[in-house]
Amino acid sequence: MVITIDGPSGVGKSTVTRAVAAEYGFDFLDTGAMYRAATVAALEAGVPLDDSQAVADVVLKSDIRYVDGAILLDGRDVSDAVRADEVTGAVSAVSAIPEVRHRLVGFQREWVVKRNGNAVVEGRDIGTVVFPDAEAKIFLTARPEVRSARRAGDAEAANLSTHAIETKLRERDFRDSTRAISPLHAAEDAVVIDTSDLSLAEVVSRVLEVVAASRC
Ligand code: DC
């Protein structure tokens, strides 16, 4: 079965995804890491990010793979590079390009097929666009101040002030939820869980309840 976990950044998606995957013995796919790797490719090629065609050309020539929790760009492990502040600042522009999304969505579907359709996949449009027929769909949310505080604990935000983290989060949310293609929103049949006042264990246990209910 495919379990989709969508939501904005700072809601705990990655941690919850890994815990749920471990519970079922499934592999997990971090689709945000794929958009970040596409962004690394564009930045390294030095193409202007507002030139959608040039960015798309670079991405279509790149080999982006997600293997055992690591993200590979043309065979090179870029798991650390994709977390750089420069990449976080540029990824919304790259992920709004239709050709880029089309390519990466194709990779994501193939990745799940190779696992016989058993996987936990996290992102922004997984329940709405990539796997609209997934058996269990979760959409995680949290209050903005809680999300900023959580981001402050991430390595990529280590050198940023609280104000800078909040501003960047708000800007990225705006771009991700207002873009023309696959904007961030909950699927109609997703179960929305507000993680603001829940521990990780509580969120995981709610997600497992949703998955168990969907299997009945
Ligand atoms: O989850 P993350 O912060 O690593 O994602 C990085 C960016 O990638 C995010 O700003 C939006 C984009 N993204 C997307 O457009 N679609 C996805 N399925 C996953 C991420």
Side-chain angles (χ1 to χ4, degrees), residues 115-180:
R115 284 153 184 86
N116 298 318
N118 289 319
V120 187
V121 187
E122 65 153 299
R124 303 291 194 286
D125 61 340
I126 311 304
T128 50
V129 174
V130 187
F131 295 107
D133 299 326
E135 289 88 341
K137 298 184 186 178
I138 317 292
F139 192 88
L140 300 180
T141 62
R143 292 190 298 275
E145 69 275 16
V146 174
R147 294 172 46 215
S148 297
R150 287 180 185 158
R151 293 296 292 167
D154 291 349
E156 64 191 87
N159 299 322
L160 301 176
S161 67
T162 311
H163 177 69
I165 293 170
E166 277 174 17
T167 307
K168 281 169 184 277
L169 202 72
R170 226 176 299 118
E171 286 170 356
R172 194 144 65 98
D173 278 359
F174 180 77
R175 287 195 300 264
D176 291 344
S177 23
T178 55
R179 67 180 174 220

Short mmCIF file of all heavy atoms in Angstrom, two decimals, residues 115-180:
data_model
loop_
_atom_site.label_atom_id
_atom_site.label_comp_id
_atom_site.label_asym_id
_atom_site.label_seq_id
_atom_site.Cartn_x
_atom_site.Cartn_y
_atom_site.Cartn_z
N ARG A 115 8.96 -1.02 -5.77
CA ARG A 115 8.76 -1.57 -4.42
C ARG A 115 7.40 -2.24 -4.31
O ARG A 115 6.82 -2.32 -3.23
CB ARG A 115 8.93 -0.46 -3.39
CG ARG A 115 10.42 -0.17 -3.22
CD ARG A 115 10.73 1.22 -2.78
NE ARG A 115 12.17 1.38 -2.77
CZ ARG A 115 12.92 1.73 -3.84
NH1 ARG A 115 12.34 1.95 -5.01
NH2 ARG A 115 14.23 1.84 -3.74
N ASN A 116 6.89 -2.70 -5.43
CA ASN A 116 5.60 -3.38 -5.49
C ASN A 116 4.47 -2.57 -4.88
O ASN A 116 3.53 -3.13 -4.30
CB ASN A 116 5.68 -4.74 -4.77
CG ASN A 116 6.69 -5.65 -5.44
OD1 ASN A 116 6.74 -5.69 -6.67
ND2 ASN A 116 7.50 -6.32 -4.64
N GLY A 117 4.59 -1.26 -4.97
CA GLY A 117 3.50 -0.40 -4.49
C GLY A 117 3.43 -0.28 -2.98
O GLY A 117 2.41 0.18 -2.45
N ASN A 118 4.49 -0.69 -2.28
CA ASN A 118 4.50 -0.54 -0.82
C ASN A 118 5.53 0.51 -0.42
O ASN A 118 6.73 0.29 -0.56
CB ASN A 118 4.89 -1.87 -0.15
CG ASN A 118 3.78 -2.88 -0.27
OD1 ASN A 118 2.61 -2.53 -0.12
ND2 ASN A 118 4.14 -4.11 -0.55
N ALA A 119 5.05 1.67 0.04
CA ALA A 119 6.00 2.74 0.37
C ALA A 119 5.29 3.85 1.15
O ALA A 119 4.07 3.97 1.11
CB ALA A 119 6.57 3.34 -0.91
N VAL A 120 6.11 4.62 1.86
CA VAL A 120 5.62 5.85 2.49
C VAL A 120 6.30 6.99 1.74
O VAL A 120 7.52 7.03 1.64
CB VAL A 120 5.98 5.91 3.99
CG1 VAL A 120 5.30 7.11 4.64
CG2 VAL A 120 5.58 4.62 4.70
N VAL A 121 5.49 7.89 1.17
CA VAL A 121 6.03 8.95 0.32
C VAL A 121 5.63 10.30 0.89
O VAL A 121 4.44 10.55 1.13
CB VAL A 121 5.50 8.81 -1.12
CG1 VAL A 121 6.19 9.81 -2.05
CG2 VAL A 121 5.69 7.39 -1.65
N GLU A 122 6.64 11.15 1.11
CA GLU A 122 6.32 12.47 1.69
C GLU A 122 6.60 13.59 0.69
O GLU A 122 7.48 13.47 -0.16
CB GLU A 122 7.14 12.72 2.95
CG GLU A 122 8.62 12.81 2.68
CD GLU A 122 9.36 13.67 3.70
OE1 GLU A 122 9.04 14.87 3.81
OE2 GLU A 122 10.25 13.13 4.36
N GLY A 123 5.81 14.66 0.79
CA GLY A 123 6.02 15.79 -0.10
C GLY A 123 4.95 16.85 0.06
O GLY A 123 4.51 17.15 1.17
N ARG A 124 4.56 17.43 -1.08
CA ARG A 124 3.55 18.50 -1.07
C ARG A 124 2.31 18.11 -1.87
O ARG A 124 1.21 18.57 -1.58
CB ARG A 124 4.13 19.79 -1.70
CG ARG A 124 5.39 20.33 -1.05
CD ARG A 124 5.06 20.87 0.33
NE ARG A 124 6.15 21.68 0.87
CZ ARG A 124 7.30 21.24 1.33
NH1 ARG A 124 7.55 19.95 1.30
NH2 ARG A 124 8.20 22.06 1.83
N ASP A 125 2.53 17.29 -2.92
CA ASP A 125 1.45 16.97 -3.85
C ASP A 125 1.28 15.46 -4.00
O ASP A 125 0.80 14.99 -5.01
CB ASP A 125 1.78 17.56 -5.23
CG ASP A 125 3.08 16.98 -5.80
OD1 ASP A 125 3.89 16.45 -5.02
OD2 ASP A 125 3.27 17.05 -7.03
N ILE A 126 1.71 14.71 -3.02
CA ILE A 126 1.73 13.25 -3.19
C ILE A 126 0.30 12.68 -3.18
O ILE A 126 -0.06 11.89 -4.04
CB ILE A 126 2.62 12.57 -2.11
CG1 ILE A 126 3.98 13.26 -2.01
CG2 ILE A 126 2.78 11.08 -2.42
CD1 ILE A 126 4.75 13.34 -3.31
N GLY A 127 -0.50 13.14 -2.22
CA GLY A 127 -1.89 12.65 -2.16
C GLY A 127 -2.79 13.27 -3.22
O GLY A 127 -3.81 12.69 -3.59
N THR A 128 -2.42 14.44 -3.72
CA THR A 128 -3.29 15.12 -4.70
C THR A 128 -2.94 14.75 -6.14
O THR A 128 -3.84 14.56 -6.96
CB THR A 128 -3.17 16.66 -4.56
OG1 THR A 128 -1.79 17.01 -4.54
CG2 THR A 128 -3.86 17.17 -3.31
N VAL A 129 -1.65 14.65 -6.45
CA VAL A 129 -1.23 14.51 -7.86
C VAL A 129 -0.45 13.22 -8.13
O VAL A 129 -0.74 12.51 -9.10
CB VAL A 129 -0.35 15.72 -8.26
CG1 VAL A 129 0.23 15.54 -9.66
CG2 VAL A 129 -1.15 17.02 -8.19
N VAL A 130 0.52 12.92 -7.28
CA VAL A 130 1.43 11.80 -7.61
C VAL A 130 0.73 10.46 -7.41
O VAL A 130 0.77 9.59 -8.28
CB VAL A 130 2.73 11.89 -6.78
CG1 VAL A 130 3.74 10.83 -7.25
CG2 VAL A 130 3.36 13.27 -6.88
N PHE A 131 0.07 10.31 -6.25
CA PHE A 131 -0.67 9.07 -5.98
C PHE A 131 -2.08 9.41 -5.50
O PHE A 131 -2.42 9.20 -4.33
CB PHE A 131 0.07 8.21 -4.93
CG PHE A 131 1.39 7.71 -5.42
CD1 PHE A 131 2.57 8.25 -4.93
CD2 PHE A 131 1.46 6.73 -6.40
CE1 PHE A 131 3.80 7.80 -5.40
CE2 PHE A 131 2.68 6.29 -6.88
CZ PHE A 131 3.86 6.82 -6.38
N PRO A 132 -2.93 9.90 -6.42
CA PRO A 132 -4.28 10.29 -5.99
C PRO A 132 -5.12 9.11 -5.49
O PRO A 132 -6.09 9.31 -4.77
CB PRO A 132 -4.90 10.91 -7.27
CG PRO A 132 -4.05 10.44 -8.39
CD PRO A 132 -2.70 10.16 -7.85
N ASP A 133 -4.71 7.86 -5.86
CA ASP A 133 -5.48 6.70 -5.42
C ASP A 133 -4.84 5.99 -4.22
O ASP A 133 -5.17 4.84 -3.93
CB ASP A 133 -5.60 5.68 -6.57
CG ASP A 133 -6.32 6.29 -7.75
OD1 ASP A 133 -7.23 7.11 -7.51
OD2 ASP A 133 -5.97 5.97 -8.91
N ALA A 134 -3.90 6.67 -3.55
CA ALA A 134 -3.22 6.03 -2.41
C ALA A 134 -4.24 5.58 -1.36
O ALA A 134 -5.26 6.24 -1.16
CB ALA A 134 -2.24 7.02 -1.79
N GLU A 135 -3.92 4.48 -0.70
CA GLU A 135 -4.85 3.91 0.28
C GLU A 135 -4.98 4.78 1.52
O GLU A 135 -6.04 4.91 2.11
CB GLU A 135 -4.37 2.51 0.71
CG GLU A 135 -4.53 1.45 -0.36
CD GLU A 135 -3.33 1.36 -1.29
OE1 GLU A 135 -2.53 2.32 -1.36
OE2 GLU A 135 -3.20 0.33 -1.98
N ALA A 136 -3.86 5.39 1.96
CA ALA A 136 -3.90 6.21 3.18
C ALA A 136 -3.21 7.54 2.93
O ALA A 136 -2.05 7.57 2.51
CB ALA A 136 -3.21 5.46 4.32
N LYS A 137 -3.94 8.63 3.16
CA LYS A 137 -3.38 9.96 2.90
C LYS A 137 -3.44 10.81 4.17
O LYS A 137 -4.50 10.94 4.79
CB LYS A 137 -4.21 10.68 1.84
CG LYS A 137 -4.23 10.00 0.50
CD LYS A 137 -4.99 10.86 -0.49
CE LYS A 137 -5.16 10.14 -1.81
NZ LYS A 137 -5.94 10.93 -2.76
N ILE A 138 -2.28 11.37 4.50
CA ILE A 138 -2.17 12.19 5.70
C ILE A 138 -1.71 13.58 5.27
O ILE A 138 -0.84 13.70 4.39
CB ILE A 138 -1.08 11.65 6.66
CG1 ILE A 138 -1.15 10.12 6.78
CG2 ILE A 138 -1.11 12.36 7.99
CD1 ILE A 138 -2.33 9.57 7.47
N PHE A 139 -2.26 14.62 5.88
CA PHE A 139 -1.76 15.98 5.64
C PHE A 139 -1.43 16.57 7.01
O PHE A 139 -2.31 16.70 7.87
CB PHE A 139 -2.83 16.83 4.94
CG PHE A 139 -2.30 18.14 4.41
CD1 PHE A 139 -1.74 18.22 3.14
CD2 PHE A 139 -2.34 19.28 5.19
CE1 PHE A 139 -1.24 19.43 2.65
CE2 PHE A 139 -1.84 20.49 4.73
CZ PHE A 139 -1.30 20.56 3.45
N LEU A 140 -0.15 16.86 7.23
CA LEU A 140 0.28 17.39 8.53
C LEU A 140 0.32 18.92 8.48
O LEU A 140 0.77 19.51 7.49
CB LEU A 140 1.67 16.86 8.88
CG LEU A 140 1.82 15.33 8.99
CD1 LEU A 140 3.26 14.96 9.35
CD2 LEU A 140 0.85 14.76 10.03
N THR A 141 -0.14 19.54 9.55
CA THR A 141 -0.06 21.00 9.67
C THR A 141 0.51 21.32 11.05
O THR A 141 0.62 20.44 11.92
CB THR A 141 -1.45 21.68 9.58
OG1 THR A 141 -2.24 21.23 10.69
CG2 THR A 141 -2.17 21.35 8.30
N ALA A 142 0.85 22.59 11.26
CA ALA A 142 1.23 23.08 12.60
C ALA A 142 1.16 24.60 12.54
O ALA A 142 1.29 25.18 11.46
CB ALA A 142 2.64 22.61 12.98
N ARG A 143 0.96 25.20 13.70
CA ARG A 143 0.90 26.67 13.73
C ARG A 143 2.24 27.24 13.25
O ARG A 143 3.30 26.63 13.50
CB ARG A 143 0.61 27.16 15.16
CG ARG A 143 -0.79 26.81 15.65
CD ARG A 143 -1.11 27.52 16.96
NE ARG A 143 -0.22 27.14 18.05
CZ ARG A 143 -0.38 26.07 18.82
NH1 ARG A 143 -1.42 25.26 18.63
NH2 ARG A 143 0.46 25.80 19.78
N PRO A 144 2.20 28.43 12.58
CA PRO A 144 3.44 28.99 12.01
C PRO A 144 4.57 29.12 13.01
O PRO A 144 5.73 28.80 12.70
CB PRO A 144 3.00 30.36 11.50
CG PRO A 144 1.53 30.25 11.29
CD PRO A 144 1.03 29.25 12.28
N GLU A 145 4.27 29.57 14.25
CA GLU A 145 5.36 29.78 15.20
C GLU A 145 5.99 28.45 15.63
O GLU A 145 7.19 28.37 15.90
CB GLU A 145 4.89 30.62 16.41
CG GLU A 145 3.91 29.97 17.36
CD GLU A 145 2.44 30.09 16.91
OE1 GLU A 145 2.18 30.42 15.73
OE2 GLU A 145 1.56 29.85 17.76
N VAL A 146 5.17 27.41 15.65
CA VAL A 146 5.70 26.08 16.01
C VAL A 146 6.61 25.58 14.89
O VAL A 146 7.70 25.04 15.12
CB VAL A 146 4.53 25.09 16.24
CG1 VAL A 146 5.05 23.68 16.48
CG2 VAL A 146 3.66 25.55 17.39
N ARG A 147 6.18 25.79 13.66
CA ARG A 147 6.98 25.34 12.51
C ARG A 147 8.32 26.08 12.47
O ARG A 147 9.36 25.49 12.22
CB ARG A 147 6.19 25.54 11.22
CG ARG A 147 4.96 24.64 11.17
CD ARG A 147 4.07 24.97 10.00
NE ARG A 147 4.85 25.11 8.80
CZ ARG A 147 4.59 25.98 7.82
NH1 ARG A 147 3.54 26.76 7.90
NH2 ARG A 147 5.36 26.05 6.79
N SER A 148 8.30 27.39 12.72
CA SER A 148 9.55 28.16 12.71
C SER A 148 10.49 27.65 13.80
O SER A 148 11.69 27.50 13.58
CB SER A 148 9.28 29.64 12.96
OG SER A 148 8.52 30.16 11.92
N ALA A 149 9.94 27.39 14.97
CA ALA A 149 10.78 26.91 16.07
C ALA A 149 11.40 25.56 15.71
O ALA A 149 12.58 25.31 16.00
CB ALA A 149 9.94 26.79 17.34
N ARG A 150 10.63 24.71 15.04
CA ARG A 150 11.18 23.41 14.64
C ARG A 150 12.27 23.58 13.58
O ARG A 150 13.29 22.89 13.63
CB ARG A 150 10.06 22.51 14.09
CG ARG A 150 9.14 22.00 15.18
CD ARG A 150 8.08 21.12 14.59
NE ARG A 150 7.11 20.72 15.61
CZ ARG A 150 5.88 20.32 15.33
NH1 ARG A 150 5.46 20.29 14.09
NH2 ARG A 150 5.08 19.96 16.29
N ARG A 151 12.04 24.50 12.64
CA ARG A 151 13.05 24.74 11.61
C ARG A 151 14.36 25.22 12.25
O ARG A 151 15.44 24.90 11.77
CB ARG A 151 12.58 25.81 10.60
CG ARG A 151 11.43 25.41 9.77
CD ARG A 151 11.72 24.26 8.87
NE ARG A 151 12.67 24.60 7.82
CZ ARG A 151 13.28 23.72 7.06
NH1 ARG A 151 13.08 22.44 7.25
NH2 ARG A 151 14.10 24.10 6.12
N ALA A 152 14.23 26.01 13.33
CA ALA A 152 15.42 26.57 13.98
C ALA A 152 16.34 25.44 14.46
O ALA A 152 17.55 25.63 14.58
CB ALA A 152 15.00 27.46 15.14
N GLY A 153 15.77 24.27 14.71
CA GLY A 153 16.58 23.14 15.18
C GLY A 153 17.27 22.40 14.05
O GLY A 153 18.12 21.54 14.28
N ASP A 154 16.93 22.72 12.79
CA ASP A 154 17.54 22.01 11.66
C ASP A 154 18.91 22.59 11.34
O ASP A 154 19.12 23.80 11.43
CB ASP A 154 16.66 22.17 10.40
CG ASP A 154 15.35 21.40 10.54
OD1 ASP A 154 15.24 20.62 11.50
OD2 ASP A 154 14.46 21.61 9.70
N ALA A 155 19.82 21.72 10.90
CA ALA A 155 21.19 22.15 10.61
C ALA A 155 21.22 23.28 9.58
O ALA A 155 21.98 24.24 9.70
CB ALA A 155 21.99 20.96 10.08
N GLU A 156 20.32 23.20 8.56
CA GLU A 156 20.38 24.18 7.48
C GLU A 156 19.99 25.58 7.95
O GLU A 156 20.25 26.57 7.27
CB GLU A 156 19.48 23.76 6.32
CG GLU A 156 18.03 23.69 6.69
CD GLU A 156 17.18 23.03 5.61
OE1 GLU A 156 17.07 21.79 5.67
OE2 GLU A 156 16.65 23.71 4.77
N ALA A 157 19.33 25.67 9.14
CA ALA A 157 18.90 26.97 9.64
C ALA A 157 19.80 27.47 10.77
O ALA A 157 19.53 28.48 11.40
CB ALA A 157 17.45 26.86 10.14
N ALA A 158 20.92 26.74 10.99
CA ALA A 158 21.77 27.02 12.16
C ALA A 158 22.26 28.45 12.24
O ALA A 158 22.38 29.02 13.32
CB ALA A 158 22.96 26.05 12.16
N ASN A 159 22.54 29.09 11.08
CA ASN A 159 23.12 30.43 11.11
C ASN A 159 22.09 31.54 10.95
O ASN A 159 22.44 32.70 10.78
CB ASN A 159 24.16 30.58 9.98
CG ASN A 159 25.27 29.57 10.17
OD1 ASN A 159 25.68 29.32 11.30
ND2 ASN A 159 25.74 28.98 9.09
N LEU A 160 20.81 31.19 11.00
CA LEU A 160 19.77 32.19 10.74
C LEU A 160 19.09 32.65 12.03
O LEU A 160 18.92 31.86 12.97
CB LEU A 160 18.70 31.61 9.79
CG LEU A 160 19.20 31.12 8.43
CD1 LEU A 160 18.05 30.47 7.66
CD2 LEU A 160 19.78 32.28 7.63
N SER A 161 18.66 33.92 12.06
CA SER A 161 17.92 34.42 13.22
C SER A 161 16.49 33.88 13.16
O SER A 161 16.02 33.45 12.10
CB SER A 161 17.87 35.95 13.18
OG SER A 161 17.09 36.36 12.08
N THR A 162 15.77 33.94 14.27
CA THR A 162 14.38 33.47 14.31
C THR A 162 13.55 34.24 13.29
O THR A 162 12.73 33.67 12.56
CB THR A 162 13.78 33.70 15.72
OG1 THR A 162 14.71 33.18 16.65
CG2 THR A 162 12.44 33.03 15.89
N HIS A 163 13.81 35.56 13.22
CA HIS A 163 13.04 36.38 12.28
C HIS A 163 13.31 35.94 10.84
O HIS A 163 12.37 35.81 10.03
CB HIS A 163 13.43 37.86 12.47
CG HIS A 163 12.73 38.77 11.51
ND1 HIS A 163 11.38 39.02 11.58
CD2 HIS A 163 13.19 39.45 10.43
CE1 HIS A 163 11.04 39.83 10.59
NE2 HIS A 163 12.11 40.10 9.89
N ALA A 164 14.58 35.68 10.53
CA ALA A 164 14.92 35.25 9.16
C ALA A 164 14.27 33.91 8.83
O ALA A 164 13.76 33.70 7.72
CB ALA A 164 16.44 35.16 9.00
N ILE A 165 14.25 33.01 9.80
CA ILE A 165 13.63 31.69 9.57
C ILE A 165 12.14 31.86 9.28
O ILE A 165 11.60 31.29 8.33
CB ILE A 165 13.84 30.76 10.79
CG1 ILE A 165 15.33 30.43 10.95
CG2 ILE A 165 13.01 29.49 10.66
CD1 ILE A 165 15.67 29.73 12.24
N GLU A 166 11.47 32.70 10.09
CA GLU A 166 10.03 32.91 9.91
C GLU A 166 9.74 33.52 8.54
O GLU A 166 8.82 33.10 7.84
CB GLU A 166 9.49 33.87 10.99
CG GLU A 166 9.19 33.16 12.29
CD GLU A 166 8.79 34.13 13.38
OE1 GLU A 166 8.46 35.29 13.08
OE2 GLU A 166 8.85 33.72 14.54
N THR A 167 10.55 34.52 8.18
CA THR A 167 10.33 35.19 6.89
C THR A 167 10.51 34.22 5.73
O THR A 167 9.68 34.14 4.82
CB THR A 167 11.32 36.37 6.73
OG1 THR A 167 11.22 37.17 7.88
CG2 THR A 167 11.02 37.19 5.49
N LYS A 168 11.59 33.43 5.78
CA LYS A 168 11.86 32.49 4.69
C LYS A 168 10.75 31.43 4.60
O LYS A 168 10.34 31.03 3.52
CB LYS A 168 13.20 31.80 4.90
CG LYS A 168 14.38 32.68 4.51
CD LYS A 168 15.67 32.06 4.98
CE LYS A 168 16.86 32.96 4.70
NZ LYS A 168 17.37 32.83 3.34
N LEU A 169 10.29 30.97 5.77
CA LEU A 169 9.24 29.94 5.80
C LEU A 169 7.96 30.49 5.17
O LEU A 169 7.32 29.83 4.35
CB LEU A 169 8.98 29.57 7.26
CG LEU A 169 8.35 28.23 7.54
CD1 LEU A 169 9.34 27.11 7.30
CD2 LEU A 169 7.90 28.18 9.00
N ARG A 170 7.62 31.73 5.54
CA ARG A 170 6.40 32.35 5.01
C ARG A 170 6.50 32.53 3.49
O ARG A 170 5.57 32.24 2.76
CB ARG A 170 6.16 33.70 5.69
CG ARG A 170 4.72 33.85 6.12
CD ARG A 170 4.44 35.13 6.88
NE ARG A 170 5.17 35.27 8.12
CZ ARG A 170 6.05 36.24 8.37
NH1 ARG A 170 6.33 37.16 7.48
NH2 ARG A 170 6.66 36.29 9.54
N GLU A 171 7.68 32.97 3.04
CA GLU A 171 7.86 33.19 1.60
C GLU A 171 7.73 31.86 0.83
O GLU A 171 7.09 31.78 -0.20
CB GLU A 171 9.24 33.78 1.31
CG GLU A 171 9.34 35.25 1.72
CD GLU A 171 10.79 35.76 1.65
OE1 GLU A 171 11.72 34.97 1.36
OE2 GLU A 171 10.96 36.96 1.92
N ARG A 172 8.37 30.82 1.39
CA ARG A 172 8.35 29.52 0.68
C ARG A 172 6.93 28.95 0.69
O ARG A 172 6.45 28.44 -0.32
CB ARG A 172 9.34 28.56 1.33
CG ARG A 172 9.64 27.35 0.48
CD ARG A 172 11.09 26.92 0.60
NE ARG A 172 11.43 26.45 1.92
CZ ARG A 172 11.46 25.17 2.25
NH1 ARG A 172 11.15 24.25 1.38
NH2 ARG A 172 11.81 24.81 3.47
N ASP A 173 6.22 29.08 1.83
CA ASP A 173 4.82 28.62 1.90
C ASP A 173 3.99 29.29 0.84
O ASP A 173 3.20 28.66 0.15
CB ASP A 173 4.19 29.05 3.24
CG ASP A 173 4.54 28.11 4.35
OD1 ASP A 173 5.25 27.13 4.11
OD2 ASP A 173 4.10 28.38 5.49
N PHE A 174 4.18 30.63 0.73
CA PHE A 174 3.39 31.39 -0.23
C PHE A 174 3.65 30.89 -1.64
O PHE A 174 2.73 30.60 -2.40
CB PHE A 174 3.71 32.89 -0.11
CG PHE A 174 2.92 33.73 -1.07
CD1 PHE A 174 1.58 34.03 -0.84
CD2 PHE A 174 3.51 34.20 -2.24
CE1 PHE A 174 0.84 34.77 -1.75
CE2 PHE A 174 2.77 34.94 -3.15
CZ PHE A 174 1.44 35.23 -2.90
N ARG A 175 4.95 30.73 -1.98
CA ARG A 175 5.28 30.29 -3.34
C ARG A 175 4.77 28.87 -3.60
O ARG A 175 4.23 28.58 -4.65
CB ARG A 175 6.81 30.35 -3.56
CG ARG A 175 7.34 31.77 -3.71
CD ARG A 175 8.74 31.74 -4.28
NE ARG A 175 9.67 31.00 -3.44
CZ ARG A 175 10.48 31.55 -2.54
NH1 ARG A 175 10.49 32.85 -2.38
NH2 ARG A 175 11.29 30.80 -1.83
N ASP A 176 4.93 27.98 -2.60
CA ASP A 176 4.54 26.58 -2.80
C ASP A 176 3.02 26.43 -2.89
O ASP A 176 2.52 25.54 -3.57
CB ASP A 176 5.07 25.70 -1.66
CG ASP A 176 6.58 25.56 -1.69
OD1 ASP A 176 7.19 25.87 -2.74
OD2 ASP A 176 7.16 25.16 -0.66
N SER A 177 2.26 27.30 -2.17
CA SER A 177 0.81 27.10 -2.19
C SER A 177 0.08 27.93 -3.23
O SER A 177 -1.10 27.74 -3.43
CB SER A 177 0.19 27.32 -0.81
OG SER A 177 0.95 28.10 -0.01
N THR A 178 0.79 28.86 -3.89
CA THR A 178 0.10 29.67 -4.90
C THR A 178 0.60 29.37 -6.32
O THR A 178 0.11 29.97 -7.26
CB THR A 178 0.31 31.18 -4.63
OG1 THR A 178 1.72 31.43 -4.58
CG2 THR A 178 -0.35 31.62 -3.35
N ARG A 179 1.54 28.43 -6.47
CA ARG A 179 2.05 28.17 -7.82
C ARG A 179 0.94 27.54 -8.67
O ARG A 179 0.01 26.90 -8.14
CB ARG A 179 3.29 27.28 -7.77
CG ARG A 179 2.99 25.90 -7.29
CD ARG A 179 4.24 25.03 -7.25
NE ARG A 179 3.92 23.75 -6.67
CZ ARG A 179 4.71 23.09 -5.84
NH1 ARG A 179 5.87 23.58 -5.47
NH2 ARG A 179 4.33 21.92 -5.37
N ALA A 180 1.08 27.72 -9.99
CA ALA A 180 0.02 27.27 -10.89
C ALA A 180 -0.09 25.75 -10.92
O ALA A 180 -1.18 25.19 -11.03
CB ALA A 180 0.31 27.80 -12.29
#
